[in-house]
């Protein structure tokens, strides 16, 4: 029987950093206020020359190198983003060209902050059915270009970056379970307008923070509880929770639902901010490269984003 497993990871963060102290000079806020409510101390902001594609390529090259494969070995590219470089072609095709890969399927998915776990789920299906052997999954976001830097409720949260991994076919279980959800009834709680749309909504990120927080905690709490139940897991079986890095309070609430101590949670939100679809991939790569995550560890990856979309992937690394 065919399974898929994580073969290599990569990440990229722009060099430019905006700290909470920097934001104090821009809007009516403070480092203490931001840290208390979000746990974020800084965020990375792409320079003018950087693109969703260029960041994706930097992360993807690291993932391919870590997997000890060549670009020509990649049989499919899935790129999760809410900030494509062009309306069309898809950013995945631009990434394909940047990596020098020829003649493999390449496509974008848009599931906001849940994009990376959606991408992993799709890649897992293609591998298990024998339609691909090595799939590159990337989350890349230039989300700060949709931020109103005068809106203190949103400019404190978001950050740019890219996370990537290579999923490869293997004989033993890697990905053990996936679970995806969406509910479009909540579309107006978190959104940004599209410049070529007739929707007449703001091009900047709009968020009803309290409602989003409540829905995220409830959805993720139910999700992780169900994952544990369906896979007969107790809290000691999970080595690492790798959550979407949106807000430390949401992460803490999710860990509490699982009965996991925070020492078993990969936390990058303090230094990375909320990188949307790049978030889970960046956190995974951070955990791998710092030596926290080791081969054989059981990982529960989860995310919640606009749509609303949410989902999880249970995988043995």
């Amino acid at each position: 029987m065919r399974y898929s497993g994580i073969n290599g990871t990569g990440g990229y963060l722009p060099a430019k950093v905006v700290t909470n102290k920097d934001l104090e000079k821009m809007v009516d806020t403070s480092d203490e206020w931001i840290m208390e409510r979000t746990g974020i101390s800084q965020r990375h902001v792409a320079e003018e020359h950087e693109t969703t594609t260029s960041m994706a390529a930097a992360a993807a090259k690291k993932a391919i190198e870590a997997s000890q494969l060549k670009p020509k070995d990649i049989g499919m590219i899935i790129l999760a983003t809410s900030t494509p470089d062009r309306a069309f072609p898809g950013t995945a095709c631009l990434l394909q060209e940047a990596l020098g890969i020829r003649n493999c399927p390449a496509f974008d998915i848009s599931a906001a902050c849940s994009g990376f776990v959606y991408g992993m789920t799709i890649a897992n299906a293609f591998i298990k059915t024998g339609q691909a052997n090595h799939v590159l999954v990337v989350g890349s976001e230039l989300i700060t270009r949709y931020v109103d830097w005068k809106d203190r409720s949103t400019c404190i949260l978001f950050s740019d970056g890219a996370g990537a991994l290579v999923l490869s076919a293997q004989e033993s279980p890697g990905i053990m379970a996936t679970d995806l959800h969406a509910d479009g009834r909540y579309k107006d709680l978190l959104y940004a307008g599209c410049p070529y749309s007739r929707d007449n909504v703001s091009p900047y990120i709009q968020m009803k923070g309290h409602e989003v927080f409540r829905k995220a905690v409830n959805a993720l709490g139910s999700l992780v509880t169900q994952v544990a139940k369906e896979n007969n897991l107790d809290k000691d079986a999970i080595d690492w929770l790798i959550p979407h890095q949106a807000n430390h309070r949401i992460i803490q609430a999710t860990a509490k639902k699982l009965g996991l101590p925070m020492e078993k949670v990969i936390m990058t939100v303090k230094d990375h901010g909320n990188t949307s679809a790049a978030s889970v991939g960046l956190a995974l790569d951070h955990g791998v490269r710092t030596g926290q995550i080791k081969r054989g560890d059981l990982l529960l990856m989860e995310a919640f984003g606009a749509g609303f979309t949410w989902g999880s992937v249970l995988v043995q690394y």
Side-chain angles (χ1 to χ4, degrees):
M1 189 170 178
R2 285 171 63 97
Y3 299 94
S4 70
I6 299 171
N7 200 4
T9 68
Y12 175 81
L13 290 163
K16 181 180 177 181
V17 170
V18 175
T19 68
N20 291 348
K21 292 296 184 182
D22 294 327
L23 288 178
E24 288 179 352
K25 303 170 186 176
M26 300 164 60
V27 293
D28 181 16
T29 191
S30 69
D31 175 59
E32 293 77 16
W33 190 89
I34 298 170
M35 285 296 297
E36 179 184 349
R37 287 160 177 78
T38 71
I40 299 170
S41 66
Q42 65 177 38
R43 64 281 307 142
H44 292 258
V45 178
E47 299 282 6
E48 282 300 314
H49 69 276
E50 293 183 295
T51 66
T52 298
T53 301
S54 69
M55 295 193 302
K61 287 174 182 176
K62 291 180 181 178
I64 294 170
E65 180 182 0
S67 68
Q68 299 185 325
L69 297 172
K70 301 294 184 185
K72 65 179 178 62
D73 298 320
I74 299 300
M76 177 174 289
I77 299 171
I78 302 173
L79 192 145
T81 187
S82 299
T83 57
D85 288 340
R86 300 179 179 181
F88 55 85
T91 309
C93 292
L94 306 183
L95 173 60
Q96 183 186 47
E97 181 200 27
L99 296 174
I101 299 173
R102 301 288 181 270
N103 197 31
C104 79
F107 56 92
D108 293 3
I109 58 173
S110 178
C113 300
S114 306
F116 201 82
V117 295
Y118 265 65
M120 287 185 69
T121 300
I122 295 167
N124 177 56
F126 274 98
I127 290 173
K128 289 182 71 174
T129 55
Q131 298 180 73
N133 291 322
H134 305 288
V135 180
L136 174 65
V137 179
V138 184
S140 185
E141 298 281 22
L142 275 174
I143 202 75
T144 64
R145 294 185 185 171
Y146 287 80
V147 166
D148 179 357
W149 291 99
K150 297 179 181 179
D151 178 4
R152 71 172 187 169
S153 68
T154 57
C155 73
I156 65 174
L157 299 173
F158 295 99
S159 183
D160 301 325
L165 61 72
V166 175
L167 278 183
S168 295
Q170 58 185 48
E171 295 181 356
S172 58
I175 291 184
M176 302 171 65
T178 63
D179 193 12
L180 300 180
H181 301 268
D183 193 335
R185 290 178 299 169
Y186 302 106
K187 67 184 187 302
D188 293 326
L189 296 186
L190 176 56
Y191 66 89
C194 183
Y196 41 82
S197 169
R198 296 182 180 179
D199 207 12
N200 294 320
V201 297
S202 170
Y204 296 119
I205 295 171
Q206 305 293 311
M207 182 177 69
K208 296 181 180 178
H210 178 73
E211 291 92 333
V212 173
F213 178 87
R214 182 165 53 86
K215 292 292 183 184
V217 169
N218 289 339
L220 292 175
S222 298
L223 180 70
V224 297
T225 301
Q226 190 67 21
V227 168
K229 180 180 179 181
E230 290 179 354
N231 292 275
N232 297 314
L233 298 174
D234 58 40
K235 65 180 181 179
D236 296 325
I238 297 173
D239 294 295
W240 292 102
L241 175 66
I242 307 178
H244 167 49
Q245 307 289 317
N247 180 306
H248 75 109
R249 293 187 299 159
I250 295 175
I251 294 171
Q252 288 170 339
T254 306
K256 186 177 180 179
K257 277 280 188 179
L258 268 175
L260 279 181
M262 291 305 293
E263 291 76 17
K264 297 181 75 171
V265 181
I266 299 294
M267 288 277 282
T268 60
V269 66
K270 181 175 183 288
D271 296 320
H272 292 187
N274 182 347
T275 54
S276 189
S279 170
V280 172
L282 275 167
L284 170 66
D285 184 60
H286 173 82
V288 169
R289 292 180 186 269
T290 57
Q292 294 172 278
I293 297 172
K294 297 177 174 59
R295 283 295 177 186
D297 283 354
L298 186 63
L299 318 176
L300 178 57
M301 308 161 78
E302 51 85 358
F304 180 92
F308 285 140
T309 62
W310 64 100
S312 67
V313 175
L314 182 67
V315 56
Q316 186 167 42
Y317 181 69

